[in-house]
Amino acid sequence: MYIKKEIREFIEKMPRETKLSKEWVNFIKQIDKSHNLLIEHGKEEYECTNCGKYSYGKLLNSRNYRYHDICRFCGKKYEIRRSNLKNYFFLYNLAMVDNMNNKLIIRYYEVYRRYNYKIRRFVNSIVEFARYVPEFDVVLLNDRCPRGQNIYHDEKIKKWRVFGGKYYGNNSYKSIYLKDIDEKKKGTSYQYIPLGDVINHLENIKFDSLYRVFRLAKYNSFELLIKAGLYNLALECPERFNENGSFEKRFGVCKHFYKFMQKHDISYNELFVLRLTQKPNIEIIRTLLRISYSNLDDLKKASSYINLVDLEKYSKKQTRLSIQNYLDYIDNLERMGVPLTKKKLLPENFTIAHNESVEKVKIVENELLNQKIIQRYKQLEKNKYKNDKFIIRPAKSLNDMKDEAKQQHNCVYTNYSEKYANGKTDIYFLRKLKKPKESLVTVEVLDGKIRQKYQKRNTATNRNQNSFLKLWEKDILNAA
Ligand SMILES: [Zn+2]
C-alpha cells in the first residue's frame, strides 16, 4: 500500500505510547462505576464490588429486579452473581482527543475489566490500539490490533501502521474524553470548530460519530452552521450550505426566519418545506412532511397547484390524505381537462372526490381510446377480406375488442387495446361468414406479417383457417 510521505513522517515522529494521565485514569474510574457486580455470599448477604461494603437482608428493589439490585451504600444498580464466580469481565472502548505535532488525533483504548475472584474486585487493563488522524483521514493500528479485529492486551507497541481495510474496532466507543479538547485542538486545522459542542450534541449516537464529525468538518459551512446552532443542518448536509454571501443566498429563506430555524434546530427537510411555505410554523412543516412521507419533490409539485399551508389545514379535516394521493387527484382532473378552481382543489370530501376522479378519468380515457380505435378501423378497413367460408376484418371499437376477449378468453382487450389504438400493432378478427358475431380467430399483424393467431383460449388455428389467412396475408396485406 502506498502511503504519502507526509503521513509516513507523521507516524515516525508521533510518540509510540504515552503514559496514562491521572485525569484520564479518573475518567475511566467514573465510567467503571457502572461496571461492577453484587456478589451474593449467602442468603441475603451481598458484597458490592464497587464500594466493597456488605448489605444484608432484602435489598431495596428486590421485587423489581430478578437479577439486578441496588447496593445500599453506593446506590448503584448491579447484576447479582453467586460467590463461586470465577470468570467475568467487561470489555469496552473509549476515545480521547489528543494533539500530536499539531495534528488532531483520536486515540482509541480498550478497557478489559476482569473480575479477580481472589480479592472479589475488578481489575482493569487499559490499552491503546488505534489512532485516527482526521486531517489525513487515516486509521493507524499497532501490534495490539494487527488486523483491526481482536485486541491483544499483552502485546507491546512496536510499530504503528496505516490500516487500509474496513475497520470496525474503533467505529464505536462508550465514551470520549473531551475535557481538554479546546487545548488539544489549538494549532490544528480544527482549531476554530467547536468540536466539543458537536460531539456532545451527538452523545446519543456513538456509532461512527467521530468519523462523521471530522468528515463534515471539512466543509467551510460546518463551522458556521454549528456556531449558528443549526446542528442538524451541519451534521446532515453542510455541503448544501457552502454558498457564500447573504443569509438568503445560503439558506434559501429570508433572514428573519433564523430565530425559528435555530429554535427548532431545523433539519434539511424542514428547511425545504419552510422555503415552500414561507411560514415559520413547525407543526405545519412537520405535518406536511408526514403526509408526503418526506418526499420533497412531491411537496414541491403540490405547491405549484396549491398553497401548502392551506393544504395542511385541509388535510386535518380529511381522512388519510397523502400528498401522493392528492397529486393523483390533480393529475386526474388535468387529464379530464377540468379547470382547477378552488372548489376542485379543495373538495369537501377528498376521498369521494378522489374516487370519483378515478372513475371519470377511466371513462374519459376509454372514450379517447375508443375514438382512436374507430380511426384505426377506418384506416385498415381496406384490408377486409372474405371468401365463401370466412371473413376477416379489423377490430372496430373498444367494445368490439372487449367482446372478442370475453368470447375468446384471451388478453386482446387488456394488452392490445392501447397498442392498437396508437398504431403500434394491428388487430383483426377472423370469423365464419355465416356467424359474423361469433369470435373464431384473433389475429395480430405487425409490419404486414401475421404475428399471432389463436382460436379460443389461445389454441392453434386449423388447416382451413391457416390457408385462408395465408392467402389474405399474401394478396391483401402485401398486395402492393
Ligand atoms: Zn456499593
Side-chain angles (χ1 to χ4, degrees), residues 48 50-53 71 73-75 78:
C48 172
N50 178 41
C51 64
K53 293 192 174 142
C71 168
F73 296 94
C74 62
Y78 298 126

Side-chain angles (χ1 to χ4, degrees), residues 346-363:
L346 299 173
E348 203 168 319
N349 184 319
F350 178 75
T351 311
I352 291 174
H354 176 268
N355 291 346
E356 273 177 13
S357 78
V358 173
E359 288 306 315
K360 280 184 188 159
V361 98
K362 221 185 271 167
I363 293 167

